[in-house]
Amino acid sequence: MTKLEYDGPILEIDKLSISFFTRLHEIPAVMDFSVTVQPGEAVGLVGESGCGKSTVALGVMQDLGKNGAVVGGSIKFKGRDLGKMSMEELRDIRGSEIAMIYQEPMASLNPAMKIGKQLMEVPMIHQGLNKEDAYARALQLVTDVKLPDPERMLNSFPHQLSGGQQQRIVIAMALMSEPALLILDEPTTALDVTVEAAIVELVRDLGRKYGTSMLFISHNLGLILETCDRICVMYSGEAVERGSIKAVFDDMQHPYTQALFRSIPLPGANKNTHPLVAIPGNFPLPHERPPGCNFGPRCDYFEAGRCDQGDIDMGVVPADNSHFSRCVKFQEIDWSAPVTVGEQKEKAKVGKVVLKIDNLKKYYEVAANAIFGGGDKKVVKANETLTFEARESETLAIVGESGCGKSTFAKVLMGLETATEGTIQLDGKNIEHIPIEERDTKTVSDIQMVFQNPFDTLNPSMSVGRQIIRALEIFGIGDSETARKERMLELLDLVKLPRAFAERMPRQLSGGQKQRVGIARAFAGGARIVVADEPVSALDVSVQAAVTDLLMEIQRNEKTTLLFISHDLSIVRYLSDRVMVMYLGHVVELGSTDQVFAPPYHPYTEALLSAVPIADTSVVKKHIVLEGDIPSAMNPPPGCPFQTRCRWKSEVPGGLCDIEVPVARDVAGGHQIKCHLSDEKLAEMEMVIKVAAE
């Protein structure tokens, strides 16, 4: 059968059940799962970690490993049952008719082979093309995925490309043989929000150009809204709601979908007046699922005797034959009822200045030839003249793409690095040149950090309680083991973990629980400043809401200054009081959250706002996609650091952007922008994110 002959559904998954087998028992990973993908259609698969999204994808690829097996239902591709195909038939289809893009691009690339050769292999193996034709096709696709200097790209090794460029190559590789179905498994999770926006637009355009059907797996509802035609929501191995994007986003018919939306910061959410509502309880493990509805124990509408009886099937929503819900009560629930607003909090009173940074610079010297250490030294300007203040009980968000200097600044503040120039004052005391090993105990306990990945920060061989007690010992808190143990239990209360968790090992905790232990440890010494470096980006959306809420509550009680490093502007808008935008070591914009999220913007902030995917059909966004990657801090452009990617550059006369670094200037009441644009031009800027009038 040629690729063009089939005109039915590209993919039909019907009542699919997949289990994994251990020596002790069978673990059902996916149960009674059905979804159809039509030609040229993009279907989004969403849900929290462990709900079975990737297992479905591996089922389609027939790649479940030795322990996994399809135990019920079928997966048909162009009408043929994949489970009944021979290995030879599957080999012909994989890569040529069904292609998959994974979360981590380097997992799909051979580090020892040039990009061109890796791309050419696909059509040479699957379509029998000769070298010249395969090279021409590779060149065409590298141009299609908008990579600069395509010939140089084909001649490069994977390590010579940035993460965003590697992911584009993987997309090009997947499209090399013009597959009928493309499976994307969280393809943008590891990328910056601006790169993500460009990749998403690219996938959408290429899908149209090549008529490819897509199964897009993500936990980001905003991304699904921007890329897909239909959506399937999964919870604990089952599809719980299925329908068109508009139907599910605007007229949701399952309590889990509703709870998911209430836990993400959409425009209008506010940490004091409209706090996020976290989903209570925890995700059930596959062998501990409750009877009846899997979501029952966490559901606001749970009714004993109905929701916990027997298997619950998908039901059709009466008004829309293509909209389905797995809930016995979905026709009785008033879905338009207003949300029970979480407890409204008093806005914390911002106190005196705790941290004062003045003209801070951090430069690194590296050998021009890194491998052999020869040649001239080059200077990497990681931080350039940072100047700002942070006050008691204030949340200051630091945003920007990877490589902009956010984490370098955090390292200097923590004492893991020392400043090249400038000053850092903590409560009036200069600490910029004191490395952490020379800092006194009080300074160390005053500035603490919560890291991005909770898995890397806990000692796997030490119990939770012992790790917190260890921090108390280092900070010199408590005059006896009993006093420290009592304080440790209080800290577990503070982060809302059961006291029994003190005896548990890190491996027995979920990601969100591990992050809470990290927070408890950071607050063990009564920290004055907590640097939170992407503290929720590795967590599921429902857990994110609980952890951010927890950070805010502790901040209110302890009057802590929170420096929140993030690239997720939705969360930044929700919880920060002030925002500092960084680009290539410079602070390009600084102001209150309201100032930074409303025009005038720095051109870079404008692009960042446009790149944020928002899970709300009523939001209209200005479309700005940044071309190119962030320049290297080792070889920054002359003049304004942002001029190589700026869409406003032509509005500045005399080529000033190419020659001179702009000076930060106050545009209104403490709102600073570092840009050559005139006040008149800044005043012309329009809102990037608007909520359409009803």
Side-chain angles (χ1 to χ4, degrees):
M1 187 186 292
T2 64
K3 291 187 180 185
L4 300 172
E5 276 173 29
Y6 192 76
D7 61 356
I10 296 294
L11 182 70
E12 283 175 282
I13 301 178
D14 186 41
K15 295 189 169 10
L16 176 70
S17 294
I18 295 174
S19 289
F20 290 92
F21 295 87
T22 66
R23 279 177 303 183
L24 297 174
H25 40 64
E26 175 186 348
I27 298 172
V30 172
M31 290 118 18
D32 185 32
F33 178 84
S34 303
V35 77
T36 305
V37 183
Q38 300 293 343
E41 183 181 50
V43 175
L45 202 50
V46 298
E48 297 170 277
S49 312
C51 72
K53 307 186 297 288
S54 297
T55 305
V56 168
L58 293 172
V60 175
M61 297 302 283
Q62 295 289 302
D63 184 20
L64 292 164
K66 284 181 184 169
N67 300 341
V70 172
V71 293
S74 64
I75 306 171
K76 288 182 180 169
F77 173 71
K78 290 186 173 179
R80 297 169 68 201
D81 192 330
L82 290 168
K84 292 180 179 163
M85 287 188 188
S86 67
M87 285 311 291
E88 284 73 24
E89 287 175 305
L90 283 171
R91 221 180 351 255
D92 284 344
I93 281 182
R94 283 189 202 128
S96 88
E97 294 225 44
I98 305 177
M100 186 156 171
I101 296 169
Y102 295 89
Q103 186 167 348
E104 182 46 68
M106 272 311 274
S108 311
L109 296 172
N110 183 337
M113 195 189 273
K114 285 188 175 173
I115 297 292
K117 198 169 177 200
Q118 297 190 52
L119 288 173
M120 287 161 63
E121 271 187 348
V122 180
M124 286 167 76
I125 290 169
H126 287 295
Q127 293 166 309
L129 260 62
N130 62 34
K131 266 190 173 175
E132 288 72 28
D133 291 346
Y135 182 82
R137 179 137 180 74
L139 198 61
Q140 174 60 46
L141 264 159
V142 171
T143 311
D144 277 356
V145 296
K146 298 191 170 73
L147 279 167
D149 198 347
E151 288 180 344
R152 182 177 66 79
M153 285 289 159
L154 292 181
N155 204 31
S156 301
F157 286 99
H159 71 268
Q160 295 171 303
L161 275 56
S162 70
Q165 289 173 338
Q166 287 170 2
Q167 194 60 292
R168 284 164 193 248
I169 291 294
V170 171
I171 291 170
M173 193 185 285
L175 292 169
M176 276 301 278
S177 57
E178 297 185 12
L181 177 68
L182 186 59
I183 301 172
L184 302 104
D185 190 358
E186 302 268 15
T188 59
T189 304
L191 304 176
D192 276 313
V193 63
T194 48
V195 181
E196 177 180 82
I199 296 275
V200 163
E201 184 178 48
L202 174 74
V203 166
R204 219 172 30 214
D205 293 349
L206 292 175
R208 286 194 201 109
K209 179 175 178 180
Y210 292 102
T212 312
S213 301
M214 289 189 271
L215 188 62
F216 199 117
I217 296 171
S218 180
H219 64 265
N220 187 328
L221 288 158
L223 270 188
I224 295 294
L225 170 65
E226 293 188 0
T227 48
C228 297
D229 307 299
R230 287 190 305 118
I231 181 175
C232 176
V233 182
M234 283 188 83
Y235 180 80
S236 189
E238 293 179 325
V240 293
E241 186 163 6
R242 215 172 47 232
S244 69
I245 290 288
K246 188 143 184 56
V248 175
F249 275 64
D250 293 351
D251 186 23
M252 53 197 73
Q253 296 284 314
H254 194 280
Y256 174 61
T257 315
Q258 185 186 55
L260 211 51
F261 274 88
R262 286 177 180 177
S263 65
I264 56 176
L266 296 173
N270 178 292
K271 64 181 177 185
N272 297 310
T273 54
H274 290 272
L276 300 181
V277 182
I279 304 176
N282 287 314
F283 199 76
L285 293 169
H287 54 284
E288 293 174 356
R289 290 192 177 107
C293 174
N294 284 340
F295 188 59
R298 305 174 74 189
C299 179
D300 290 345
Y301 309 103
F302 179 77
E303 188 182 321
R306 277 184 76 190
C307 300
D308 50 7
Q309 302 297 310
D311 291 336
I312 293 168
D313 295 323
M314 278 288 216
V316 183
V317 176
D320 180 351
N321 288 337
S322 62
H323 191 177
F324 299 84
S325 172
R326 192 185 297 273
C327 173
V328 292
K329 298 179 69 176
F330 77 87
Q331 295 191 52
E332 304 159 29
I333 294 168
D334 179 5
W335 297 104
S336 59
V339 129
T340 7
V341 177
E343 185 196 342
Q344 295 206 2
K345 307 284 194 322
E346 277 291 304
K347 187 172 176 357
K349 204 166 166 49
V350 173
K352 61 181 195 330
V353 172
V354 176
L355 184 70
K356 194 170 175 11
I357 314 281
D358 196 26
N359 275 330
L360 181 76
K361 295 183 183 181
K362 177 60 188 172
Y363 294 172
Y364 295 96
E365 270 199 355
V366 292
N369 186 332
I371 298 174
F372 303 108
D376 301 329
K377 291 266 198 239
K378 280 203 167 183
V379 173
V380 177
K381 298 180 174 181
N383 286 156
E384 276 279 36
T385 59
L386 302 192
T387 301
F388 66 92
E389 293 175 344
R391 296 171 179 81
E392 190 175 80
S393 297
E394 179 180 52
T395 303
L396 172 67
I398 304 173
V399 299
E401 295 166 285
S402 310
C404 74
K406 307 186 297 283
S407 296
T408 300
F409 160 69
K411 283 179 186 167
V412 175
L413 182 61
M414 297 292 297
L416 300 170
E417 302 274 1
T418 53
T420 307
E421 254 180 60
T423 59
I424 301 177
Q425 288 187 339
L426 173 66
D427 288 325
K429 178 183 163 194
N430 284 52
I431 57 167
E432 66 278 355
H433 294 307
I434 311 173
I436 193 155
E437 54 271 20
E438 291 172 26
R439 289 188 177 181
D440 58 55
T441 308
K442 179 159 183 356
T443 307
V444 173
S445 64
D446 273 350
I447 306 177
Q448 283 294 298
M449 195 154 180
V450 178
F451 295 90
Q452 179 169 359
N453 196 339
F455 307 93
D456 296 341
T457 55
L458 298 179
N459 184 334
S461 59
M462 206 185 264
S463 73
V464 165
R466 185 74 211 118
Q467 302 202 37
I468 297 172
I469 288 173
R470 179 97 184 87
L472 293 168
E473 286 169 356
I474 290 168
F475 298 148
I477 287 170
D479 49 10
S480 67
E481 190 63 27
T482 317
R484 280 192 280 272
K485 189 167 183 197
E486 188 47 43
R487 176 69 183 140
M488 175 269 291
L489 294 170
E490 286 169 7
L491 283 161
L492 286 178
D493 296 343
L494 182 73
V495 296
K496 296 185 167 56
L497 283 176
R499 290 187 166 201
F501 274 40
E503 304 304 317
R504 289 200 183 182
M505 303 303 279
R507 67 173 184 276
Q508 296 170 290
L509 273 55
S510 69
Q513 289 165 343
K514 283 190 184 125
Q515 193 60 293
R516 284 162 189 257
V517 176
I519 293 169
R521 209 171 48 177
F523 282 94
R528 304 269 292 131
I529 295 170
V530 169
V531 182
D533 190 357
E534 302 270 13
V536 292
S537 62
L539 305 175
D540 277 315
V541 284
S542 60
V543 183
Q544 278 185 13
V547 171
T548 40
D549 198 39
L550 174 71
L551 277 170
M552 295 292 99
E553 193 176 321
I554 296 175
Q555 181 188 42
R556 273 188 205 97
N557 297 336
E558 310 278 321
K559 297 194 170 161
T560 319
T561 304
L562 196 61
L563 299 182
F564 192 86
I565 297 175
S566 181
H567 67 262
D568 183 343
L569 286 167
S570 302
I571 284 213
V572 163
R573 183 176 202 164
Y574 170 68
L575 60 78
S576 62
D577 301 306
R578 284 193 306 139
V579 180
M580 179 165 104
V581 183
M582 287 184 72
Y583 185 82
L584 211 60
H586 292 258
V587 175
V588 294
E589 184 161 5
L590 176 64
S592 72
T593 307
D594 290 343
Q595 288 170 335
V596 171
F597 278 78
Y601 311 105
H602 185 280
Y604 176 55
T605 311
E606 181 189 46
L608 275 184
L609 288 170
S610 166
V612 180
I614 298 171
D616 188 336
T617 54
S618 66
V619 164
V620 182
K621 278 196 315 183
K622 203 179 180 75
H623 187 64
I624 304 158
V625 171
L626 281 184
E627 298 294 330
D629 291 305
I630 293 193
S632 161
M634 198 187 288
N635 191 18
C640 172
F642 187 59
Q643 51 106 343
T644 55
R645 301 167 82 195
C646 182
R647 73 189 195 102
W648 288 84
K649 186 176 166 183
S650 57
E651 302 288 344
V652 177
L656 195 59
C657 299
D658 296 323
I659 312 159
E660 206 175 289
V661 177
V663 190
R665 68 183 199 269
D666 202 307
V667 287
H671 183 194
Q672 294 176 5
I673 293 181
K674 201 180 222 182
C675 182
H676 286 305
L677 281 174
S678 66
D679 290 350
E680 293 74 39
K681 284 290 166 201
L682 285 173
E684 285 175 21
M685 284 193 170
E686 296 167 356
M687 283 289 277
V688 172
I689 298 169
K690 286 186 201 155
V691 178
E694 286 297 318

